[in-house]
Amino acid sequence: MDGSQSSTESPTAPKKISLLSSPMRAVIRLRRKVQFLKKNRLHLNLPREQSPELVQTRLLQRQISLSQTNLYNPSMSLFNQATFANSQYFTFDTSVDQSALNKYKRKKSRRKSRVVLYPESSKKYLPAEQKSKAKRCLLLLIGIICFQILNAIENLDDNLQKYDLDGLEKTMHREVFGQKVAVDRIMELLNEYLATHIHNKPLVISFNGPPGVGKSHVGWLLAKHFRSVMDNDFVLQYFVMHHCPNKEATPACQLDLSEKISEMVTRAEIEEKIPLFILDEVELMSPVLLDTLSRFFQPNQTNEFLNAIYILISNIGGNEITTFVLQNVSTDLLHQQRKREELLYVIQPILIHFHPLWKSADIIPFGLLEKSHVINCFLEEMMREGLYPDQSHIENLASQLSYYTTAGREYAITGCKQVGAKVNLL
């Protein structure tokens, strides 16, 4: 009986094991399929946004394949129902796919909404372009500015041509000896000032240097030239020893000088001309006359007093200029500008100490004349007097003058001051 029992139990045992193992294998296969399908869905559906019809057909195919497995394995039906109830991949719930579909439709509608469709029966009209008037105003403004610039350039040329400064420069270079730097500076100041009739201060130029170096001669050439290009009424030469010889008559001289300057400036402003005042021997002027002059040099005046040129000629600082020239004989011509600046640094404090009016002046120092310059002065004077200019005779006359001798050069102590007297004795 025991043997019969054992024989009956032995075939049932493998059946029970097979019943347990087959569902396990089915579960493992299903899990592998689910993982595979998940990967395929993430890889295929999400980035490429497949159409909803294709998604529906694939879900139906998967569902049919799974239902077929349930028919062959009825023992797994309950187990599968429990798992499929919680799975979104094996149901007909397409909420996720519907959201993706709605998102796709929204994107498509956005793209379509950008296109503007016109009815076929209507005509298309472009908006009318309105021309801006700002461009015309800008072109008009540019034209006005260009016209004003050209007009200003023409006015500058007209003023310079009216005073014939080119002719004046040629005359001064021809008749003034040994003062090339001073002449160049004088012409530079005159060109800048006479280029226009509108100024913010009068032009004040001071000629300073020892006697006989050509200061008064330059003043005489300026007066002669401006009398020729303008009327005689707009040039005044004032010599202190001639117009005001007595210090007791200083108040009358002050009133006379002030009236002459005011009257000439007023008439010159009416005719749009710039008057020239040449004041020689300024070192002999009394402080009262210097104060009167300084009031005309100030910038805060009426317009007519700003358009005037004052030339101050004096020997103030002559000794300092002589000492400076003799101590800097070896300075070559390439350093003339630096030499002039150093000389101004020496004599300007002396002039300002004499009277503050020199703060408003452009100071032009006149240096010593060499013996060759004195010979030229004799030649020019003899030709002016109609005498035959014999070279040996001229050198003999020049050797009769006194000279400073330094570094192989001879500088005339009195310059060309005694040339006229020597020629008159011939």
Side-chain angles (χ1 to χ4, degrees):
M1 189 172 185
D2 294 334
S4 64
Q5 289 178 355
S6 60
S7 62
T8 56
E9 290 177 358
S10 58
T12 58
K15 287 182 180 180
K16 289 181 181 180
I17 292 171
S18 64
L19 290 173
L20 291 173
S21 61
S22 59
M24 293 297 293
R25 286 195 298 272
V27 170
I28 291 170
R29 284 196 301 270
L30 288 174
R31 288 189 64 183
R32 289 177 180 173
K33 283 186 178 182
V34 168
Q35 291 176 358
F36 178 75
L37 292 173
K38 281 183 179 181
K39 289 182 180 179
N40 288 339
R41 182 174 181 79
L42 291 173
H43 181 67
L44 297 174
N45 293 349
L46 292 179
R48 297 186 181 181
E49 293 184 359
Q50 295 179 356
S51 62
E53 293 83 2
L54 184 60
V55 173
Q56 291 289 345
T57 54
R58 288 192 175 181
L59 288 174
L60 287 172
Q61 290 176 358
R62 291 170 192 162
Q63 202 69 13
I64 292 167
S65 62
L66 291 175
S67 63
Q68 288 177 356
T69 55
N70 289 335
L71 292 174
Y72 291 107
N73 295 317
S75 60
M76 290 295 296
S77 61
L78 295 174
F79 181 78
N80 291 335
Q81 287 176 2
T83 56
F84 293 158
N86 297 326
S87 176
Q88 61 178 348
Y89 296 103
F90 299 100
T91 62
F92 288 99
D93 185 12
T94 59
S95 59
V96 177
D97 301 321
Q98 193 66 28
S99 64
L101 178 62
N102 293 335
K103 185 178 179 182
Y104 174 77
K105 286 181 177 180
R106 282 198 300 272
K107 287 185 178 180
K108 197 170 183 181
S109 63
R110 285 175 190 170
R111 292 195 196 101
K112 289 182 178 180
S113 63
R114 295 176 187 173
V115 181
V116 180
L117 298 178
Y118 293 93
E120 294 181 357
S121 59
S122 64
K123 294 183 179 180
K124 301 177 183 178
Y125 294 98
L126 293 175
E129 293 184 2
Q130 296 181 355
K131 293 183 179 180
S132 177
K133 296 182 179 179
K135 186 182 292 185
R136 295 181 180 177
C137 294
L138 181 61
L139 293 174
L140 180 61
L141 179 62
I142 292 172
I144 293 172
I145 292 173
C146 293
F147 178 75
Q148 292 291 340
I149 292 172
L150 292 174
N151 191 22
I153 293 172
E154 290 179 357
N155 289 337
L156 293 179
D157 295 336
D158 292 342
N159 283 332
L160 294 178
Q161 290 175 3
K162 180 170 64 176
Y163 296 105
D164 189 21
L165 295 182
D166 291 336
L168 174 62
E169 185 175 7
K170 292 176 182 178
T171 302
M172 292 180 70
H173 279 297
R174 185 177 62 250
E175 298 190 21
V176 179
F177 306 109
Q179 305 295 346
K180 184 179 183 305
V181 177
V183 170
D184 290 341
R185 180 58 181 161
I186 293 169
M187 295 309 304
E188 181 183 352
L189 292 172
L190 291 176
N191 274 288
E192 291 178 358
Y193 194 80
L194 295 175
T196 180
H197 192 71
I198 301 173
H199 307 95
N200 55 5
K201 67 182 186 66
L203 177 62
V204 183
I205 305 175
S206 177
F207 299 165
N208 296 89
V213 295
K215 305 184 302 296
S216 297
H217 184 57
V218 171
W220 178 79
L221 290 176
L222 289 173
K224 180 182 177 182
H225 177 79
F226 280 93
R227 282 194 179 103
S228 64
V229 298
M230 297 189 299
D231 294 336
N232 189 32
D233 297 335
F234 301 117
V235 178
L236 173 65
Q237 281 184 285
Y238 190 89
F239 297 92
V240 177
M241 294 302 296
H242 174 71
H243 291 87
C244 190
N246 300 322
K247 292 185 178 180
E248 292 79 8
T250 299
C253 295
Q254 177 187 5
L255 181 62
D256 179 62
L257 180 61
S258 179
E259 287 180 353
K260 285 181 178 179
I261 293 176
S262 301
E263 182 185 358
M264 188 177 294
V265 165
T266 303
R267 285 188 286 105
E269 183 66 19
I270 295 173
E271 299 190 21
E272 293 187 356
K273 294 180 180 179
I274 296 178
L276 176 67
F277 302 96
I278 300 173
L279 302 112
D280 206 342
E281 303 168 340
V282 179
E283 69 274 8
L284 301 177
M285 277 188 175
S286 64
V288 178
L289 282 178
L290 293 175
D291 292 338
T292 303
L293 280 177
S294 64
R295 287 196 293 270
F296 290 105
F297 298 166
Q298 302 303 318
N300 52 350
Q301 303 181 71
T302 56
N303 188 43
E304 60 268 16
F305 288 95
L306 300 177
N307 300 321
I309 299 174
Y310 298 89
I311 306 294
L312 308 179
I313 302 174
S314 68
N315 295 330
I316 305 173
N319 295 331
E320 289 75 13
I321 293 174
T322 300
T323 303
F324 181 86
V325 171
L326 295 177
Q327 291 177 351
N328 296 271
V329 175
S330 59
T331 305
D332 56 0
L333 296 176
L334 296 176
H335 297 84
Q336 287 293 339
Q337 182 65 26
R338 183 175 61 84
K339 184 177 178 181
R340 175 179 167 275
E341 292 175 358
E342 293 177 359
L343 185 56
L344 286 176
Y345 182 76
V346 172
I347 65 173
Q348 191 170 22
I350 298 171
L351 293 170
I352 294 174
H353 179 72
F354 190 87
H355 197 277
L357 68 86
W358 269 277
K359 292 180 180 179
S360 307
D362 290 293
I363 301 169
I364 299 179
F366 282 67
L368 296 175
L369 298 180
E370 297 185 36
K371 188 175 182 179
S372 60
H373 302 141
V374 175
I375 291 174
N376 289 331
C377 289
F378 273 106
L379 179 62
E380 185 71 20
E381 184 67 22
M382 291 178 71
M383 292 179 66
R384 187 181 296 115
E385 295 293 332
L387 300 175
Y388 178 74
D390 182 64
Q391 187 67 25
S392 60
H393 188 51
I394 291 175
E395 290 179 358
N396 186 25
L397 290 174
S399 62
Q400 296 177 11
L401 302 179
S402 301
Y403 297 91
Y404 298 108
T405 304
T406 176
R409 293 186 178 183
E410 292 180 323
Y411 293 94
I413 295 176
T414 57
C416 292
K417 199 172 186 66
Q418 299 179 2
V419 170
K422 291 285 183 180
V423 172
N424 290 332
L425 293 175
L426 296 175

